[in-house]
C-alpha cells in the first residue's frame, strides 16, 4: 500500500517506518511544522528528520511556512483540549496531501509515543478518513518504544524532551522549578 506517514520527528519515525516497510508498504514522510515551538526547536527536529530520511532513503514532504499564529489562535481558550486541535490539524493536512498524491492511506508517528492519547488519535484519524476518503492506517507502534529510543541514541540523533507545542514545553519544564 502507498502510505503517507505524518512524522513528528526523526526518533519517532524509526520504528513505525521499519514496521511499515517490513509489511511491504511504500512509505513517504510528511513533516508538519506549525505545532512545534519555538522555531529553533522546530528546526532541530526538522534537520534531524532530514538527516535520518537521507540515511534510510525516506522521501519527505516538509510543510512550507510556519503558522505559529494559526496554531495559537486554534488553541487559545482550548488549552486543555489543545491536543485534539493539534491532532486534527496534522492528520487532516496529512490526509489531504495523501489524497492529492493518490496515496491509499495515511498514518502518524504519533502512534509510536507512549505519551500520546492513542484513542483520541485513532478517533480523529478515522473521522478525517471519512471526511477525505483516504484510509487511516491505525497501528499501535508503542511495542517498539525501546527499540526506537535505542536506535536514535546509537545514531546520535537530537531527542526532544516535550511533545512540541509551547504548552507542552511549559508542562515539561515549569513544574520542575516550583
Amino acid at each position: 500500500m502507498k502510505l503517507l506517514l505524518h512524522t513528528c520527528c526523526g526518533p519517532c519515525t524509526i520504528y513505525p517506518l521499519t514496521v511499515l516497510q517490513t509489511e511491504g508498504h511504500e512509505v513517504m514522510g510528511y513533516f508538519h511544522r506549525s505545532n512545534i515551538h519555538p522555531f529553533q526547536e522546530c528546526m532541530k527536529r526538522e534537520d534531524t528528520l532530514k538527516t535520518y530520511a537521507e540515511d534510510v532513503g525516506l522521501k519527505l514532504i516538509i510543510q512550507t511556512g510556519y503558522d505559529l499564529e494559526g496554531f495559537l489562535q486554534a488553541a487559545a481558550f482550548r488549552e486543555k483540549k489543545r491536543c485534539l486541535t493539534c491532532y486534527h490539524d496534522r492528520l487532516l493536512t496529512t490526509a489531504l496531501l495523501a489524497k492529492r498524491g493518490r496515496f491509499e492511506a495515511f498514518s502518524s508517528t504519533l502512534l509510536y509515543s507512549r505519551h500520546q492519547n492513542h484513542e483520541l488519535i485513532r478517533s480523529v484519524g478515522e473521522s478525517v478518513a471519512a471526511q477525505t476518503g483516504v484510509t487511516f492506517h491505525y497501528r499501535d507502534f508503542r511495542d517498539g518504544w525501546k527499540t526506537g529510543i535505542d536506535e536514535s541514541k546509537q545514531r546520535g540523533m537530537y531527542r526532544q524532551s516535550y511533545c512540541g507545542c509551547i504548552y507542552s514545553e511549559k508542562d515539561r519544564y515549569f513544574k520542575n522549578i516550583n
Side-chain angles (χ1 to χ4, degrees):
M1 168 169 50
K2 186 177 172 187
L3 185 142
L4 185 61
L5 180 66
H6 160 261
T7 56
C8 59
C9 64
C12 289
T13 302
I14 293 169
Y15 186 74
L17 178 63
T18 300
V19 169
L20 292 167
Q21 287 178 331
T22 300
E23 292 175 349
H25 302 295
E26 179 185 337
V27 181
M28 180 180 281
Y30 167 63
F31 181 70
H32 191 81
R33 294 172 149 182
S34 300
N35 62 297
I36 304 171
H37 318 132
F39 185 68
Q40 289 178 330
E41 175 70 19
C42 178
M43 294 315 300
K44 285 179 189 175
R45 294 181 191 202
E46 184 177 316
D47 291 343
T48 300
L49 176 61
K50 284 179 177 177
T51 298
Y52 174 69
E54 279 182 30
D55 288 350
V56 299
L58 174 66
K59 292 180 183 174
L60 279 179
I61 299 169
I62 306 288
Q63 179 189 26
T64 57
Y66 184 69
D67 190 15
L68 169 65
E69 297 82 2
F71 175 86
L72 293 174
Q73 288 167 359
F77 305 108
R78 298 174 198 87
E79 289 84 2
K80 295 218 184 298
K81 294 186 178 189
R82 68 184 183 269
C83 295
L84 171 61
T85 300
C86 190
Y87 294 158
H88 185 267
D89 182 40
R90 290 189 273 176
L91 294 177
L92 179 60
T93 303
T94 305
L96 291 171
L97 281 170
K99 185 172 188 165
R100 192 167 44 229
R102 299 179 193 256
F103 288 82
E104 297 165 75
F106 70 100
S107 192
S108 176
T109 61
L110 292 167
L111 298 169
Y112 163 76
S113 176
R114 293 179 175 177
H115 304 290
Q116 299 296 329
N117 182 334
H118 277 243
E119 289 310 310
L120 185 57
I121 295 166
R122 184 179 207 163
S123 174
V124 170
E126 290 171 355
S127 173
V128 164
Q131 179 184 349
T132 62
V134 181
T135 301
F136 176 62
H137 184 75
Y138 176 80
R139 173 72 186 263
D140 188 342
F141 296 110
R142 290 176 287 190
D143 61 333
W145 180 253
K146 184 169 176 7
T147 302
I149 289 173
D150 291 346
E151 184 172 337
S152 68
K153 287 179 179 179
Q154 287 172 355
R155 289 176 169 273
M157 296 172 95
Y158 170 72
R159 296 181 41 78
Q160 64 281 354
S161 55
Y162 62 97
C163 180
C165 78
I166 200 70
Y167 302 107
S168 66
E169 192 262 356
K170 179 185 176 194
D171 289 347
R172 172 73 165 100
Y173 294 113
F174 185 69
K175 66 183 176 191
N176 292 334
I177 65 167
N178 288 329

